[in-house]
Structure formats: C-alpha cells, structure tokens
Amino acid sequence: MNQLQFIALIAERDAIRYTPAGMPIVNAVLQHRSQQMEAGIARLSEFEVSAVAAGEISGRFNATPLAGLYEFTGFLNKKSRNSKSLVFHIIDFRAVTDSSI
C-alpha cells in the first residue's frame, strides 16, 4: 500500500499546464509542521514536499488559496523514471479548520 495523508499548507504553486495529451497538471510545494510522539518523547516534525495535482483535481487545487491549511491524501512516486527524488501525488484534499486538527 502506498497512501499518505497529512496536513500542510500550499507554500508554492506553479501555473496550471497541460501535457501533450491535454491533461491539466499543477506542480506545488507543500509545507508540514506538527508535533509527533516517538518512543514517548514529543518530536517536532517539519518537512517540505514537492507535489503534483493531475487531471480533474488540478482545477480545484489551482483555485485554492495559498497558505491555508489543508488535509492532503495521495501517494508517493518517483519524479521521473530514472529519478530517486520523490513527489507527492495529490488524490484529494480538504480545508482544515482549527477545530478539526
């Protein structure tokens, strides 16, 4: 199974583009910050991850305000066939309010 879910803000987002086949794609950078428990000790968890929204969800993602908090669901894959870098592929997302964190 390859499924990842986390809360992050949209730190950067490129303009929507289209593949030669006409599929809309939006590239972005997501930033996460939280406190996690590890071996009974609180640990600060911070990361930035490259992300991509492709197909139908790209339009909604492109129209979403930057810097708001969102819960993202998706999967990790290599950036390209020969790359070792990972990219988070956004399958779904929703706005998060303080009361739902």
Side-chain angles (χ1 to χ4, degrees), residues 53 68 97:
T97 61

Side-chain angles (χ1 to χ4, degrees), residues 16-25:
I16 196 165
R17 64 182 177 83
Y18 294 86
T19 67
M23 179 182 292
I25 293 181

Side-chain angles (χ1 to χ4, degrees), residues 19-95:
T19 67
M23 179 182 292
I25 293 181
V26 179
N27 292 308
V29 174
L30 306 179
Q31 287 181 340
H32 169 84
R33 181 183 171 111
S34 66
Q35 191 165 350
Q36 303 296 319
M37 294 300 290
E38 181 179 33
I41 299 169
R43 179 179 184 151
L44 180 61
S45 174
E46 294 180 290
F47 62 84
E48 282 190 354
V49 63
S50 295
V52 62
E56 273 185 41
I57 199 160
S58 64
R60 185 165 63 100
F61 182 71
N62 191 53
T64 300
L66 294 175
L69 281 178
Y70 303 92
E71 181 181 293
F72 291 94
T73 302
F75 63 93
L76 294 173
N77 201 11
K78 295 190 297 185
K79 189 171 187 171
S80 65
R81 178 179 283 179
N82 296 322
S83 176
K84 292 184 180 183
S85 298
L86 295 175
V87 175
F88 177 67
H89 289 252
I90 300 167
I91 299 299
D92 196 16
F93 69 96
R94 68 177 183 85

